[in-house]
């Protein structure tokens, strides 16, 4: 196969990566919490264990976790409330199939080696079902609380990603970091990932060029600001990764599935509101344009999540099946 039509050999059998990302395919996942809370800044988390089991059994590709340490009334939404790494560890014990991803860990606010240790631990606990998505963050109040300079976040991101790769991919790694310490070869971070390496995704632009993301990340998940721009965005991404193995593109979006299956598509503030028929047609078109994964944030849902997940599993997933890699290839 030529470049961009084959997954890199060291990720081709990865249980999470190969489940969520395949050339020419589009898969569907959810951004936690798995409930609608359209008028509130935080979810109830009532019955979330049951909803996790539903998504896992129904064959959705992934559950994504956001990193929101504080409630900032200026932003309003706190995601799944629980720390994403703690929640991911809990998910590892509650699920058997679904990939578990972060979308994304705010890397400039966290210790990079602690993130590496947490990520490989979750990867081991889940049997290789973990995807490490990393972002720079965009809430000035959080940077102030952590005593970090928001203006240097892009530089810190690059530096932290490099030491995470070194410590998780090398035994007794040697690596000199300008922001996050030094590995001199006398220590070995354990555990190592289940597979040859841990898949790392850029969440958002992270203050970087597409060329840098394409060179240093295993995929890119952005937002759906304007569906009409998708072909151009994907074209630029494919150009940035033209000389490499396949690197997927996906997006996250607020999502409300209407009860009327014939209801037309509506787009507002990066969100999707639609009946299922129009969704199927849109995702078929976007699959052909090069979208590999869609992460749905159910915050705006007006209907019970279980009802919506069941409708998607019954009527939509057959058009966009989740790939199940053979066991034991990681």
């Amino acid at each position: 196969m030529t470049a961009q039509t084959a997954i890199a050999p060291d990720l081709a059998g990865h249980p999470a990566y190969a489940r969520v990302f395949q050339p020419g395919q589009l898969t569907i996942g959810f951004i936690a919490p798995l409930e609608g809370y359209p008028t509130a800044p935080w979810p109830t988390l009532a019955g979330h264990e049951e909803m996790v089991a539903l998504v896992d059994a129904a064959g959705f590709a992934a559950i994504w976790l956001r990193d929101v340490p504080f409630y900032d009334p200026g932003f309003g939404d706190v995601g799944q409330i629980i720390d994403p790494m703690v929640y991911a560890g809990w998910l590892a014990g509650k699920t058997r199939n679904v990939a578990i991803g972060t979308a994304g860990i705010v890397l400039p606010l966290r210790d990079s080696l602690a993130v590496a240790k947490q990520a490989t631990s979750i990867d081991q606990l889940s049997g290789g079902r973990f995807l490490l998505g990393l972002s720079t963050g965009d809430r000035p109040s959080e940077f102030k609380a952590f005593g970090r300079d928001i203006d240097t976040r892009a530089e810190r991101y690059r530096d932290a990603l490099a030491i995470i790769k070194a410590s998780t991919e090398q035994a007794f790694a040697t690596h000199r970091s300008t922001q996050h310490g030094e590995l001199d070869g006398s220590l070995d971070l354990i555990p190592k990932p289940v597979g040859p390496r841990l898949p790392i995704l850029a969440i958002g632009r992270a203050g970087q060029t597409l060329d840098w993301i394409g060179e240093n990340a295993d995929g890119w998940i952005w937002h759906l600001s304007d569906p009409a721009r998708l072909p151009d965005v994907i074209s630029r991404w494919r150009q940035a990764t033209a000389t490499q193995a396949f690197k997927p593109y996906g997006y996250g979006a607020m999502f409300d599935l209407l009860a009327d299956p014939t209801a037309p598509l509506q787009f507002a503030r990066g969100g999707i509101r639609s009946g299922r028929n129009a969704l199927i047609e849109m995702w078929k078109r976007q699959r052909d344009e090069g979208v590999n994964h869609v992460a749905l944030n159910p915050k705006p849902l007006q209907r019970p999540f279980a009802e919506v997940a069941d409708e998607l599993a019954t009527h939509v997933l057959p058009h966009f099946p989740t790939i199940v890699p053979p066991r034991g290839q990681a």
Side-chain angles (χ1 to χ4, degrees), residues 64-324:
W64 299 94
L65 307 172
R66 293 167 59 201
D67 188 4
V68 187
F70 296 100
Y71 170 48
D72 182 344
F75 282 81
D77 181 17
V78 300
Q80 74 277 341
I81 298 178
I82 298 169
D83 179 88
M85 291 305 207
V86 174
Y87 200 99
W90 180 84
L91 284 175
K94 295 293 182 180
T95 58
R96 292 295 177 267
N97 305 300
V98 71
I100 302 164
T102 53
I105 297 300
V106 182
L107 199 51
L109 298 183
R110 289 180 177 250
D111 181 89
S112 54
L113 289 175
V115 169
K117 174 82 171 184
Q118 292 163 344
T120 55
S121 298
I122 297 164
D123 192 57
Q124 285 287 341
L125 290 171
S126 65
R129 290 186 291 119
F130 187 63
L131 298 169
L132 180 60
L134 302 170
S135 70
T136 53
D138 59 2
R139 303 187 179 192
S141 57
E142 293 179 352
F143 281 80
K144 181 180 179 180
F146 281 95
R148 301 288 172 83
D149 182 1
I150 194 170
D151 294 330
T152 63
R153 57 184 170 160
E155 177 186 351
R156 292 181 63 84
Y157 182 94
R158 292 191 298 271
D159 195 71
L161 190 147
I163 200 170
I164 288 172
K165 283 189 172 186
S167 63
T168 59
E169 296 175 13
Q170 302 174 28
F172 294 95
T174 57
H175 180 82
R176 183 180 295 276
S177 163
T178 60
Q179 304 279 341
H180 298 278
E182 179 182 353
L183 300 173
D184 63 4
S186 64
L187 301 172
D188 190 17
L189 181 78
I190 54 171
K192 289 294 188 286
V194 169
R197 62 186 177 88
L198 191 68
I200 295 178
L201 307 170
I203 307 298
R205 288 294 296 267
Q208 314 301 327
T209 66
L210 287 188
D211 287 342
W212 187 92
I213 294 174
E215 182 68 28
N216 292 277
D218 298 306
W220 179 34
I221 295 181
W222 207 25
H223 58 82
L224 184 68
S225 58
D226 180 0
R229 292 183 55 214
L230 263 179
D232 177 62
V233 170
I234 295 170
S235 175
R236 289 189 287 117
W237 173 240
R238 299 301 177 213
Q239 290 173 16
T241 58
T243 61
Q244 304 177 55
F246 163 74
K247 294 206 172 178
Y249 174 85
Y251 68 77
M254 293 287 183
F255 176 69
D256 187 14
L257 183 66
L258 301 177
D260 178 3
T262 66
L265 279 166
Q266 304 171 45
F267 298 102
R269 299 180 64 183
I272 303 168
R273 175 172 285 117
S274 179
R276 67 172 184 258
N277 294 345
L279 275 180
I280 292 170
E281 294 309 309
M282 179 186 72
W283 285 336
K284 285 182 177 179
R285 182 175 65 254
Q286 291 181 345
R287 177 187 59 197
D288 294 342
E289 292 170 345
V291 176
N292 302 114
H293 182 69
V294 176
L296 302 173
N297 188 334
K299 184 183 188 302
L301 278 185
Q302 304 289 329
R303 299 163 60 193
F305 178 83
E307 181 180 307
V308 167
D310 182 68
E311 181 176 344
L312 290 175
T314 302
H315 299 284
V316 179
L317 278 190
H319 298 277
F320 310 99
T322 296
I323 295 89
V324 181

